[in-house]
C-alpha cells in the first residue's frame, strides 16, 4: 500500500501566535481512545484553551476539547476535555523539559492534523508576549498591509 497523503488541518490555535513568540516546534502523536479520531476528522475539536505539561518524563495535554462522536458506542469517552498523553522521543522530551523550565517559556499546542493516517499535534515552545509586543506586531502587520495595498494600486495605474 502506498503512503496516505497529508491531510488537512483539523484544528488550529490562532490565539497562540498572538500571545506567544513561537521559537521552536515539535510534532507529537496523540493517544486517543474509542471514536475520538472520528470526531477529530469531522472537525469537532478545539485547542484554543489547551496547554501541555510534563510529568514523570511524559507530556500530557490538558483542556483539549474533542466532542463525543454521535454514532459512538460504549467505548466513547465521556469526558471531552480529559487529559491525553502525547508521544515524543525521549530526547525531545528531555530538551522540552530543559527549555520549559526557563523563565517565561511554555509549551503551546498550535494545530492538529493527520499525517499518514495518524493524528498529530504540533507543539510550539513559546515565550509570552507583553502588551507592547502585541501592539508592535499589530502596527507592523498594518504597515505591511498598507504597503501591499499601495503596490497593487500602483500596478493597476501602470496598466
Amino acid at each position: 500500500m502506498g503512503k496516505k497523503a497529508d491531510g488537512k488541518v483539523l484544528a488550529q490555535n490562532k490565539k497562540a501566535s498572538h500571545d506567544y513568540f513561537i521559537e521552536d516546534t515539535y510534532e507529537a502523536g496523540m493517544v486517543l481512545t474509542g471514536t475520538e479520531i472520528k470526531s477529530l476528522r469531522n472537525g469537532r475539536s478545539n485547542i484554543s484553551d489547551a496547554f501541555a505539561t510534563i510529568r514523570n518524563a511524559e507530556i500530557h495535554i490538558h483542556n483539549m476539547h474533542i466532542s463525543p462522536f454521535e454514532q459512538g458506542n460504549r467505548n466513547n469517552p465521556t469526558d471531552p476535555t480529559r487529559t491525553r498523553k502525547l508521544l515524543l522521543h525521549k530526547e525531545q522530551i528531555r530538551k522540552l523539559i530543559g527549555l520549559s523550565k526557563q523563565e517565561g517559556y511554555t509549551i503551546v499546542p498550535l494545530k492538529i492534523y493527520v499525517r499518514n493516517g495518524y493524528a498529530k499535534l504540533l507543539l510550539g515552545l513559546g515565550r509570552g508576549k507583553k502588551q507592547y509586543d502585541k501592539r508592535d506586531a499589530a502596527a507592523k502587520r498594518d504597515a505591511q498591509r498598507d504597503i501591499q495595498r499601495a503596490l497593487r494600486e500602483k500596478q493597476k495605474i501602470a496598466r
Side-chain angles (χ1 to χ4, degrees):
M1 294 179 76
K3 274 191 162 185
K4 296 181 182 176
D6 290 344
K8 63 180 180 178
V9 174
L10 303 174
Q12 193 166 5
N13 188 356
K14 295 179 180 176
K15 196 168 72 169
S17 62
H18 182 261
D19 292 338
Y20 299 98
F21 292 112
I22 304 300
E23 298 187 0
D24 202 5
T25 59
Y26 298 91
E27 181 182 70
M30 292 186 287
V31 176
L32 302 173
T33 61
T35 55
E36 286 180 329
I37 187 66
K38 292 185 178 194
S39 288
L40 273 177
R41 288 181 190 266
N42 287 338
R44 313 235 328 132
S45 61
N46 184 4
I47 59 170
S48 62
D49 295 330
F51 62 96
T53 59
I54 301 174
R55 289 186 307 214
N56 300 330
E58 293 179 344
I59 296 185
H60 297 272
I61 187 158
H62 304 272
N63 288 345
M64 181 174 71
H65 188 277
I66 299 177
S67 298
F69 190 61
E70 292 87 16
Q71 294 85 27
N73 55 14
R74 62 188 168 137
N75 293 332
N76 232 3
T78 56
D79 184 18
T81 60
R82 70 179 182 85
T83 302
R84 294 168 179 89
K85 184 178 174 182
L86 299 179
L87 305 172
L88 284 168
H89 294 285
K90 283 184 181 181
E91 61 206 32
Q92 291 175 327
I93 293 174
R94 281 192 217 112
K95 187 174 182 182
L96 278 173
I97 288 172
L99 293 172
S100 66
K101 290 201 186 239
Q102 293 179 10
E103 189 67 28
Y105 283 94
T106 186
I107 303 168
V108 182
L110 301 176
K111 63 182 172 179
I112 300 174
Y113 54 95
V114 175
R115 172 167 290 166
N116 297 333
Y118 295 102
K120 301 289 184 177
L121 177 71
L122 187 68
L123 293 173
L125 183 68
R127 187 170 39 92
K129 284 185 181 178
K130 304 283 189 226
Q131 186 64 33
Y132 57 85
D133 291 332
K134 294 178 188 179
R135 285 193 296 264
D136 287 344
K140 286 179 186 175
R141 188 173 54 242
D142 291 342
Q144 189 66 29
R145 191 178 306 133
D146 291 340
I147 291 169
Q148 292 298 325
R149 188 177 299 129
L151 286 174
R152 277 196 309 268
E153 290 297 322
K154 191 172 184 178
Q155 288 177 348
K156 285 182 182 178
I157 293 171
R159 288 183 187 175

